[in-house]
Amino acid sequence: MKNNILIIISFLFVFSSCKKFLEEIPQDQVTNANFYQTDNDAIAAINGVYQAMRFEVGNGIPTTFMLEQISDDGCNSPLSSNVQERIDLDIMNYNSYHTTVATVWNNSYTVINRANNVIKFVTDTTKIKDSIVRRVQAQARFLRAFYHFRLVQMFGDIPLMLEPADVQAGNLFPRRTPTKVVYDTIISDLKFAERNLDSFYAYSSANGGRVTMAAAKVLLGKVYLTMAGYPLNLTANYSLAADKLNEVIQNKIGFNTDLNTSYANIFTTNVATKQADKERIFFTRGTSGLAATFGAFTRMGWSFRDFRFTTPTKDFATNAIASRRVYETGDLRRNVVANSFDTAGARNSLVVKYAAGTDAGDDFIWLRYSDVLMMYAEALLEIGGTANLDAALSLINSVRRAHGGTTIPLLTYTDQADLRTKLQQERRREFAFECQRWFDLKRWDILIPSIKSSLVFHNNTNIAIYDFIDKIDPNRYKVLPIPFQETVNNPNITQNPGF
Amino acid sequence: MKTNYFMFLKEAMVKLVFTTFAIRYFKPAFVLSVCCTTFFMSTSILAQNLAVSGNVTNDKGVGLEGVTIRVKGTSTISKSDAKGNFTIKASVGQTLQFSSVSYNDYEVIVKDAKSISVNLSVKADEQDEVIVVGFIAQKRPDVSNAVSTVAPKNADKGGYSNFQQILGGRAAGVNVMENNSEPGGGISIEIRGVSSITGSTQPLYVIDGVPIEQPNLNLNASVNISSWYGNNLTANPLSMLNPNDIENIEILKDAAATSLYGSRGANGVVVITTKSGKVGKAKISFNFNQSVNNPQRKVEMLGAQDYANYVNEAWNYRKLLGLALQSTDTPYYAKEIPLLKTYDHQEDLAASAITRDASVSISGGAISGAKYYVSGQYFDQQGIIPGTYLKRYSGKINYEVPLTQKLQLNVNIGVTATDRFGSPTQTLVSRAISWAPTSPLLNPDGGFNRISDFRYGYGDGLFNDPQYGNVYYNARIPVSLIQTVLRNGDAMGNSGSLNPLLFTSARGVRNANTSTQILGMASLTYKFNSKLSLVGKISINQFNSLLQTYVPITIPLVFSNYRGEAASGNSQNNSVLYQLNLNYKTKFGQHHAFNAALVASAEKFVQKYQRLVVGGFVSDIVGYNALQAATPQNISSTYAANQLVSSILQLNYIYKGKLVTNLATRYDGSSKFAPGNQFGFFPSASIAWKIEQEKWFRSIKHIVNEAKLRSSWGLVGNQGIGAYQTQYTLSSNQVVWGNNFSQIGFSPNRLANPYLKWESTSSANVALDLSFFKSKLYITVDAYQKTTRDLLFNVRTPGTSGSSTIQDNIATLRNQGIEITLGGRILNTKNIRWDIQGNVSFNNNKVIKLRTNDENDFYTNGVIGTGGYITRIQPGQSLGRFFGYKAIGIWNDTSILNKPLDFQSAAREGDRRYQDLNGDGKLNDLDRTWLGTAIPTAFGGINTTVSYKNFELSAFFSYALGHQIFNYFEINWGTMTGINNVKKDTYDNRYRYVFPGTDPKIAEEIRKQNLNAKVAVAGSAYEVRESTDFYIENGDYFRCRDISLSYKLPASFVKRLHVESIRIYGNVQNLFIITNYTGFNPEVGGSANGFLRGVDNGSAPLAKAYRFGFTVNL
């Protein structure tokens, strides 16, 4: 017995302990703890942020669904299967359960979260070159601002995320931040970006497609302009916008940007032509011939053409009623945008701006030079005064001449309101199906009347049928609903009125 | 109070667990040192100076021949002669051991030279059945846990391709679902319900004391392959086991038994013991059988004429409504229809397939005590789908040898190689079924029919296409159109035709999987004395699998601009186990028997995986054998490792042979969790009271010969998460800059949760075992409740986190149920014996809590249609429940007039109508509801054996009741879009559109029939892929799994052939099934986890197998 106990005890204690056995470090993945150490790490980290942007223009294409179908330009294609959810977007019957609403929200915050990781961790200037840290930080802050800006326009007050989401940090359930505060943060992010970004990259260079100083300035101009319009109506910002946009115009050689005199070439897939184009200021690079796993496709053409999820509304494509025509006869942009403008309206019309199909070389352009001119014109117009109105008119006409061609007449105006209407029409022609229309309508605060008019015309049905548009809340559909799942998953978030 | 005990135990266990780390370093050193010391200790050999003689008899006093007599601890042996007499040399004080195959061993100590008389007792059949629960072997009557044993005899009759088939329905509470009939395909086993939501629900398998992790093959080699092949090839690692090698299978069901396997025991444990040799002359057994497999069921589809009418109906409907058309011309002219011939594609695909199984085993034991069992098997199973097969080659050696008096060595080595050729059965059968019955799959010249799609007709027209060979077509369709479609697809974007034969090996698609498994175990047992022994064990399990796929140039790929794709995926799974057991066994006085085991173990698992996909071959010749002949498309490799250290203390105490108690604790540490949460503590206790041992019970013992009350409680874990989940990791991706410069990007790939810990299941079991009339009738009733807390669950996070989920220990799930086994020996005469046994299990499953216990906190799975989903889990409901719209027939010509405009806004007359549950005039999420459950409320099996003289007939049935199946197969292929064949039933129940110009009388008739229509109008353009009860069917079944008849040749005849025995047998598997389910196989059951189940994707029909074979024992 005694022996037995001795044996048992020695069995217990003869071996030394070694906690190391349970230590297991991933060998096929990097961790926050061992990454962000070198110049290359920093660059790879910022690359990862851009990669998330591809969700928007790649396979799912929530951008076109969400932003074109709920505007007066795009509708659900009759050739696309009659999926109730898509129809719901088209006829403004969507609610907080809508999956595209959630996709837009989630994709945007994925980019923001990745940017926040970069901002938090790419800081060690003893290991990474100071210039790289600054440039990477500036890109991350631009991208963070870019998505906060999109979100705040779409959803109103939004959770402002400035730190990576982390269980230990306890920031998984943020509250909504007032719109004004969100804008202030966007401005400060962009001001940092503007100071630290390179002025431009040649399209074909190894950095072609990254954000530049020009992009930061243009976006900042756009932010000021948007703040000056609905809903903040901070009209003092028109002059801030004008100044900022003018900085780009004044230094367009330094920023290597200008109007492309061929509208069609802006959207070409021909690589040589794309390289010569100075119009692109911020864009997602389309590629062709690379493996699908690169996720490199920009599948705008896939949505608009191959699978025809979204086609022009009758409101956009009708040719029958002269007063409703979007494009004048002879406007060169007309046939670049869509392939058919007929009496039947939208039925057979396709968006052809993005020509390539599934394996697409289309770039998706977020910011381009004619937008700079048009926004500058809008700011001047709103500041008012004959000199400014005249300057605005000549800016609009310069775009019109360059892209619309010489056969359409130059615009004139009678008063500020008349010029404003003409500018709004010109923007619709110039930026059709570039996912700008909804934001423009909202900034001008003509969103609901425009959609109503388009719905009635497109479906040849009395607006009373669509009573849900303003039945519950007059502001419903001026902002998107917070996704239902978000309200379930985050106890701290509130829903927008009417949803 | 309870916690204090736990704290104390925990402390003790922590100390023990650290000792295990050292095992890692002691590997060879330990073994060597134990060997040396024990050799030294046993070298002294005593002189043998006495000649002892005696006589061995059986209990009837008859002398026994051939009994081995051995001087214990020496190599001195002798054998008894024909009368049972023997002599042997030994010294006083030494022990003589008597052993014989069918008698219990006996020992006697030599006192003097006098003659010794020994009386050996016959080994009892059932009474001495030994059950290994954890680390202590117990006699069956003394077991206090819920343990089911599947007797090896069942397996012997043979011909099962894997051992899970043996288990099906034979043990109460064990639900076996055979959901893939492809050779080597998956079988799902669930014990006492589903106790994990996202983790595995499969039990832990322990083979000869070594836990086997199911390797994660992850061989989904190519995007293109997987989109056709459905799920990836998940080889079933346990299909590597030769069923003939199995001695015994035990299923541990309650936590008191499974807690001995601690962190992995939550889903139950299946303990498999392989055969070992017995002392005596070599026994050679040879077994061969061959079987023919046929598909068990067919689905009735439309014949050519009905099909043509339906296609025309769809075409007319679409033309009338101005919807997009598949062709500009009527698909079938009226005059053509009567001439059409029907081709049955189910017949084409489902050829009979042959399975051959040959195995041989040699076992025996030398007089010295060394025992061996050596076996080999060749198993060749052809799949029902042409070109699919599984070949298995396996070999096994179990060797056991006493090295010295105190030291024994055991070596078990099993090596298996499989060679498997798979096919995309997931979609192959469903594609074949929906293929136009008017077109053959093969052309008259034997070539492959490329344009059998109805739109282009099939006919006598013939042209030779340079790329595709002979193409037969309907002469009224222009050749130019057919050529265009062949290359580019049609105007609707349908890319060419999808002849299912395109995906078979005959057409150049290759899908080869070769795997090897080596399972080796060596242990040294050192007996300090009769009470205390120490076992050191090392085991290695290595599973390597290579999956190679090739899609030939002739098949256009989805979303790729290249042709010809090869993929090669290689997965290596290695695990090593080091274990030390200290066993102590003693008796105090007369009434107290005590048994203890102290175990320390360490395990390491490494999983490596590489995959390479290349595309753009110019020739089909080399394929995956020369990947360099194409351009790399996708390259990836992964590495994952984890470690587990454990210490176990198991105590077993029996009082007066009537009260049995078991106490066990296990302490596990896993590297999958972050420091601080790495260790889990799993205690358990059980008690059994053998009432029949009580004095007062004796009076009724002639009626009730066994009465045992059992009760147990225990805590078990589940660590079913991948490695590294607690760490903040980044994964790589690629971005493209400038002139196609691709650069690597890194970004966070998950929201890490450093707070993760074990899932823990506490379970209580109460049971009663009763036997009546000398065991002629017996019943076992078990009632249990299992509550799983801290369930690992992918909790949705707000989108603001940039991730959609985070893994957290948050959910609670409860299973409770009753299991009843009832059996008896109905007849038992000299010539006839009839046994019958049946079991039934009821299980009720409930989600108590997810993130919260609010019913709005629900989760969905199986996304489908317009924001819908197939299953939903929420607090208060069971797992596996279907959710969706209620289908209420079809919108007809009158009801459509009252349809609110934005309710199903795209629906027209003839489209499916859903119920507006909340009556708000809109169809949205709020109108979805519970539609059924995938988990049966009752299941079980019945088996019976009748033997008459040398004949034996046995039958085995299994059943499951009270559950539904979501027929996803039908949602994909059974709807009347007008481009595929449909079930006859679908056609008969369709809504018929009244076309203008229809005879009013006929129109009246059609309208009348339409009131009962269930299926939307042919050609409907309304989105049909919704989760709705229309697709949900009753899944109840009663299946005859096996009927077999065997005949043992008369001994007199066999003797002349100089063999010991010959048995010939024949059996039928899956002879019939009684079910209302219209798909192929109602056993669609389990997916990998508890979330999405009961969804039938149109898997291949189960095979009906006729088998004939024989066994020869030499």
Side-chain angles (χ1 to χ4, degrees), chain B residues 699-726:
Chain B
S699 56
I700 54 165
K701 220 171 170 181
H702 59 287
I703 304 170
V704 183
N705 60 311
E706 190 199 350
K708 182 164 70 170
L709 198 59
R710 294 180 277 123
S711 173
S712 72
W713 176 87
L715 201 62
V716 203
N718 191 351
Q719 53 156 341
I721 58 166
Y724 317 129
Q725 293 281 323
T726 59

Side-chain angles (χ1 to χ4, degrees), chain A residues 86-98:
Chain A
R86 294 179 195 157
I87 296 167
D88 285 345
L89 283 183
D90 190 359
I91 64 171
M92 303 298 284
N93 190 24
Y94 61 90
N95 55 24
S96 63
Y97 293 94
H98 206 282

